[in-house]
Amino acid sequence: MRWYRSLFFKIFLWFWAVIFIAMWAAVLTNEWIEDDYFRPASQAETLHLVRMMDTQRPIIAEGRKLWRRVRPGWNLVAVPVDMLSQLPHDLEEFVDQAEDADAVLWGQNDGWLIIGPLQRQDYLYMAVARQEWQSVLDNEDRWLVPAAMVVVVTLLCFVLVWSLTRPIRRLQKTVRQLAAGNFDVSGLRRDLYRHDEIGLLATEVTDMAGALQRLLHSHQQLLRDVSHELRSPLTRLQIALGIARKKDQQGLLAAEHDRIERAVGQVDGLVAQILDLARLQQTDSRQLQADERTVRHEVEEWLLDAELEISNKQLTLATELPDEKIKASWDWMLMERAFDNLLRNAIRFSPAGAQLKAGVTISAGHAELWVQDQGPGVPEEERERIFAPFTQVDPARDHAAGGYGIGLALVKRIVELHEGNVRAVNHTPGLRVTMLVPLYPQT
C-alpha cells in the first residue's frame, strides 16, 4: 500500500485542509469586514456629488438611524457642520480622513461607498451607496458569516466521518454474521477495492471467513465420516452382544451384558444425533416438508407422548395452549423433534415431584413454544453458549444426566430453518427455553 493511500494520511490531510479552509475564510472575512479604503475622488465622482446636491433632497444624519433611511442606489446625506457627532461612526471616520487629506475623497468603509464631503452653507454633504453584492451582510446580519463557516466545516467533517464509519459498520455487521455462523461476506465487496487500511481489513476479514468456513466444513465432514465409520463396529457389537446373551443361558453375565448394552446404546444414540445435526446443517429451508396443521392439536400429541416419563418422575404438568383455530405451516416432524428435546431436557433436570410447565403463546403472526422446568438452571454467562454443539454446563447438565450437548444445537438449527430463534431464560427456580417461530415462514 502506497503511503499516500493510507488512512492515516487521508485523515491528516482532511483535517489539515478543513483547518486551513476555516482559517482562510476567517482571515478573508475579517479583512472584508474591516476593509476601509480611501482615495482622492476623481473629477467625475466629485461632479456626481455636486449634481446630487443640486437635484436631491438630502437625508439629515441622526446617528445610526441614518442607515435605516438609506435607499438602494446613491443617497445624499447632510449633517450640520457643528453636529458631526450625529454621523454614524463609519461616516465620521470618513470625514476625519477627508479633513486630514484636505480633499474630497472616494472611500469604502464596511461595504459602504462614500463620496465627499462638500460643504455648502452650514452643512456637509456626502453621497452614500451600499455595495450590492454585500447588501445581505449589513451590520445586523454579519453573524451569517461565522454561521456559514460552521456549516461548511460541519459538512466537511460529516463527509469524512461518514466515509469512515460506513465501511466500519459493514465490517461490524459481517463479523456479527460470522459469529452467528453465517459466512456470507458479500456486503464487503465494495470495500475490497479500497486502497487504504479499511480495504486491507475487509480483505483480511473475507479471507478469515473463507478459512473459517473451510475449517467448519472439514470439521463437519470429519464428524460425519467418524459417525458413519462407527456404525459398522456398533452393529457388530450389538450382534456379538446378542450371541453372548444366547450362550449365557444361566444368566451369569447378565449384569455385564446389560452394562455393555447401555454403553452401546449411548454411543449409538450419540452417533445418530451427530449425523442428524450434520444433515440439518446442510439442509436448506426450501427443503423443509411443510404443511398446514393446527398448532394446539399437534402440541397436545407431543405432550401425550411424554406422559409416561412425566408420571415416572412424579411431575405435575401445567399447560397453556392456544385456540384450536390457530394453524401453522411447518415441517412438523422437525418441530416435534425440537419440542421433544426441550420437553425431555426439562423432565431430566426437574426434581422429583416438581411442576413442569409447557405451552404455546401466539402473538403478531409468531408462535412461542416454551418449556419451563424447576431444575438448577444454567449460569447467566452460559445461556447463549448452551445452544452450541457439545456444550456442557457443569455440574448441573453433564454426561451423568444423559446429555452430550447436541440436543439444544438440534433445536436451534431446526428453529433457524423455520426463520425463528431460540432463547433460554433463568427463572426462580428452573430454566425456561422458548422457540419463537413465524406461523408461516416466507420460505
Side-chain angles (χ1 to χ4, degrees):
M1 181 181 64
R2 302 173 190 258
W3 64 271
Y4 56 83
R5 289 178 172 173
S6 70
L7 199 59
F8 171 82
F9 176 76
K10 290 179 181 178
I11 295 175
F12 172 79
L13 181 61
W14 192 283
F15 277 103
W16 182 87
V18 168
I19 294 173
F20 175 80
I21 291 173
M23 293 178 61
W24 176 75
V27 170
L28 289 185
T29 302
N30 185 66
E31 287 184 356
W32 173 79
I33 291 176
E34 298 181 356
D35 188 12
D36 297 341
Y37 174 69
F38 305 102
R39 62 168 173 78
S42 65
Q43 184 177 3
E45 292 165 346
T46 304
L47 288 175
H48 176 65
L49 174 59
V50 172
R51 282 195 295 269
M52 291 179 64
M53 293 167 62
D54 294 335
T55 60
Q56 290 187 15
R57 183 178 179 179
I59 302 173
I60 305 301
E62 295 178 343
R64 301 202 66 83
K65 295 180 180 179
L66 169 69
W67 299 131
R68 291 195 289 270
R69 300 171 60 189
V70 170
R71 299 177 299 273
W74 287 100
N75 297 263
L76 182 64
V77 177
V79 62
V81 175
D82 57 350
M83 298 182 66
L84 293 179
S85 60
Q86 291 295 318
L87 288 171
H89 173 73
D90 303 335
L91 294 183
E92 187 178 3
E93 181 181 2
F94 177 78
V95 171
D96 291 340
Q97 291 285 340
E99 289 181 355
D100 292 342
D102 193 21
V104 177
L105 299 181
W106 179 96
Q108 175 180 303
N109 193 328
D110 289 348
W112 293 96
L113 298 180
I114 311 170
I115 303 174
L118 286 177
Q119 183 173 349
R120 180 177 289 180
Q121 297 178 0
D122 295 330
Y123 284 85
L124 287 179
Y125 293 87
M126 289 169 284
V128 178
R130 183 68 158 162
Q131 287 186 352
E132 295 182 0
W133 68 276
Q134 293 173 326
S135 59
V136 176
L137 301 178
D138 56 19
N139 291 334
E140 287 77 15
D141 294 326
R142 285 180 181 170
W143 61 270
L144 292 173
V145 176
M149 292 172 54
V150 170
V151 171
V152 171
V153 171
T154 301
L155 289 176
L156 291 174
C157 292
F158 176 80
V159 171
L160 172 63
V161 173
W162 183 256
S163 66
L164 293 179
T165 55
R166 282 192 70 189
I168 292 175
R169 283 196 296 268
R170 286 194 291 267
L171 281 167
Q172 185 182 28
K173 180 180 178 181
T174 301
V175 171
R176 282 200 302 265
Q177 291 177 348
L178 291 177
N182 182 2
F183 296 96
D184 180 15
V185 293
S186 58
L188 297 180
R189 188 179 296 114
R190 71 185 70 179
D191 298 319
L192 298 177
Y193 301 101
R194 295 176 63 118
H195 301 287
D196 53 19
E197 288 85 347
I198 292 180
L200 294 177
L201 181 58
T203 302
E204 296 294 335
V205 170
T206 302
D207 294 341
M208 179 185 69
L212 287 174
Q213 189 172 24
R214 290 190 297 271
L215 180 62
L216 180 61
H217 285 171
S218 63
H219 172 69
Q220 293 172 348
Q221 186 64 43
L222 176 63
L223 284 177
R224 287 194 298 271
D225 293 344
V226 171
S227 301
H228 280 295
E229 292 300 325
L230 284 174
R231 278 294 171 87
S232 295
L234 282 174
T235 303
R236 292 194 293 269
L237 277 173
Q238 290 170 341
I239 294 173
L241 181 60
I243 295 173
R245 284 186 181 277
K246 288 183 179 181
K247 289 183 177 180
D248 185 26
Q249 297 180 355
Q250 298 180 355
L252 298 176
L253 300 175
E256 286 74 7
H257 292 161
D258 292 340
R259 190 178 300 112
I260 294 172
E261 185 175 20
R262 285 194 300 271
V264 171
Q266 288 178 345
V267 176
D268 187 55
L270 175 61
V271 171
Q273 286 186 328
I274 293 174
L275 290 175
D276 288 341
L277 180 59
R279 177 177 61 83
L280 287 173
Q281 287 174 336
Q282 291 185 326
T283 299
D284 188 83
S285 57
R286 291 171 293 184
Q287 299 174 272
L288 297 178
Q289 303 298 317
D291 63 321
E292 189 178 66
R293 299 184 189 179
T294 303
V295 176
R296 182 187 182 104
H297 174 73
E298 296 299 322
V299 175
E300 285 177 341
E301 292 291 329
W302 301 343
L303 293 172
L304 188 61
D305 291 340
E307 192 174 54
L308 181 60
E309 289 88 341
I310 293 173
S311 60
N312 285 341
K313 207 163 184 181
Q314 301 176 350
L315 300 177
T316 302
L317 178 63
T319 61
E320 297 179 17
L321 299 179
D323 188 271
E324 294 182 356
K325 297 180 181 180
I326 302 298
K327 294 184 178 182
S329 179
W330 297 332
D331 187 322
W332 291 95
M333 183 178 296
L334 290 180
M335 289 299 294
E336 178 183 4
R337 176 118 187 235
F339 190 82
D340 187 67
N341 270 330
L342 298 186
L343 190 58
R344 297 187 188 278
N345 273 350
I347 295 172
R348 183 183 307 128
F349 298 108
S350 292
Q355 184 183 56
L356 181 67
K357 297 180 180 180
V360 181
T361 304
I362 306 296
S363 62
H366 287 70
E368 290 187 6
L369 296 85
W370 52 271
V371 177
Q372 179 178 336
D373 60 44
Q374 291 185 337
V378 297
E380 286 296 321
E381 63 274 11
E382 301 288 340
R383 285 194 302 110
E384 297 297 330
R385 203 170 65 88
I386 60 175
F387 297 103
F390 304 105
T391 299
Q392 298 293 327
V393 180
D394 294 325
R397 303 172 184 264
D398 54 13
H399 296 311
Y404 292 90
I406 300 179
L408 289 179
L410 285 170
V411 171
K412 181 180 179 182
R413 182 55 186 162
I414 291 171
V415 172
E416 288 175 344
L417 288 173
H418 287 81
E419 302 177 5
N421 59 76
V422 60
R423 64 179 183 272
V425 179
N426 280 313
H427 283 251
T428 308
L431 180 73
R432 181 182 181 124
V433 183
T434 303
M435 300 185 296
L436 179 63
V437 186
L439 293 175
Y440 291 90
Q442 295 185 7
T443 54

